Amino acid sequence: MTRVGFVGAGRMGAPMVRRLVEAGHEVRALGRSDEKCSAIRELGAQPVTDLTAVGEGADVVVVCVFTDEQVQQVCADLVPAMKPGTTLVIHTTGSPRTAQAIAAQSPGIDVVDAPVSGGPHNIAAGEVALFVGGSDDAVARVRPVLAGYGDPILHVGPLGAGQSVKLINNALFAAQIGLLSEAVRFGERLGVEESKLLSSISHGSGASRVGGFVAARGSVAAFVEMAGEFIGKDVAVVRKVAADLDSDLGVLDDVINAGIDR
């Protein structure tokens, strides 16, 4: 049994907490309101109302919030309360530099970045993909915890590498939406109905996983309306990371502009 502290038991975090409890771990999760505390109890975890209480006595602390800025804000109060030897796992998609900066400012604490690829239904089934960055020892220590909901667990390199892979993945994801958007516009000029085009090419050599997601919604616009907030957030992060390197996304950016930015 591992003592796990958890911040972010929301849309993505709640099924993680449930699976951790079901796997036999002792989970303490942050709940800032009576309603949140009640929901955490229903998941089988112990609710706490203060960030410092999440880290106290934990072997592993998991952060699963929405933005990079929230990670920084949470960790400013959370990490000082963690005992030496604790491992911090960051699931939030963000800049590789965020995890690296937290590690540099937190001697005695191991940091692992492990952004997820998938949704709540994948987590609930124990099959969400995790792109993991960190030292061999740190990743080995947290792997039994991550295995509660992650499969595959892909150790892709040192700290920050998980975020780098996830950002590239999401840039490709957004670019494929842009390609589909252009394909639909071409199809319209040829007189092909969008929903029929999308469902048909899912059986051809032009098929992709993203194409299947879009086809299930019936149109590119419907898919972007449903997922645009999450895609747009991650695209903004990868553009900023590229700009910090005095670079850009090249042709990927052009294709992304044709989809979610149009």
Side-chain angles (χ1 to χ4, degrees):
M1 178 191 72
T2 302
R3 293 169 296 182
V4 181
F6 202 100
V7 179
R11 174 177 174 270
M12 298 288 281
M16 292 180 181
V17 170
R18 185 182 295 280
R19 287 196 63 94
L20 288 171
V21 171
E22 290 174 349
H25 301 296
E26 180 184 305
V27 183
R28 180 184 296 178
L30 181 68
R32 295 191 184 275
S33 66
D34 291 343
E35 181 181 2
K36 286 288 187 182
C37 287
S38 177
I40 288 167
R41 289 190 192 93
E42 289 179 8
L43 295 171
Q46 176 190 349
V48 294
T49 57
D50 186 80
L51 267 173
T52 58
V54 175
E56 290 174 356
D59 303 306
V60 175
V61 175
V62 178
V63 174
C64 185
V65 292
F66 189 59
T67 67
D68 217 20
E69 291 75 16
Q70 289 173 341
V71 171
Q72 296 168 27
Q73 292 166 5
V74 163
C75 289
D77 293 328
L78 174 63
V79 173
M82 294 165 56
K83 66 182 181 181
T86 307
T87 305
L88 173 69
V89 177
I90 301 172
H91 281 319
T92 305
T93 298
S95 169
R97 294 183 177 179
T98 296
Q100 292 163 350
I102 291 170
Q105 297 162 9
S106 312
I109 302 297
D110 284 315
V111 181
V112 169
D113 60 307
V116 308
S117 183
H121 61 291
N122 301 115
I123 297 168
E127 56 186 25
V128 72
L130 300 176
F131 304 127
V132 183
S135 70
D136 290 345
D137 288 345
V139 173
R141 282 197 299 275
V142 299
R143 189 177 285 272
V145 172
L146 299 180
Y149 45 84
D151 184 22
I153 300 169
L154 304 166
H155 186 190
V156 297
L159 182 62
Q163 297 290 5
S164 297
V165 170
K166 176 63 188 299
L167 292 174
I168 294 167
N169 174 82
N170 284 16
L172 285 169
F173 182 93
Q176 288 182 64
I177 295 171
L179 287 173
L180 286 166
S181 182
E182 288 299 302
V184 165
R185 276 189 275 274
F186 184 45
E188 288 173 349
R189 293 195 293 273
L190 293 174
V192 181
E193 183 183 331
E194 179 174 5
S195 62
K196 286 184 168 52
L197 173 64
L198 292 170
S199 62
S200 296
I201 60 176
S202 65
H203 298 284
S205 59
S208 68
R209 192 174 182 186
V210 177
F213 295 156
V214 174
R217 301 297 296 187
S219 72
V220 174
F223 182 79
V224 171
E225 182 179 359
M226 182 270 294
E229 179 184 9
F230 301 97
I231 300 168
K233 173 185 76 74
D234 293 345
V235 167
V237 173
V238 75
R239 283 173 171 160
K240 183 179 185 305
V241 169
D244 289 343
L245 296 171
D246 294 323
S247 184
D248 57 40
L249 301 182
V251 69
L252 284 175
D253 220 2
D254 296 335
V255 183
I256 290 169
N257 288 335
I260 66 169
D261 288 346
R262 177 166 293 188

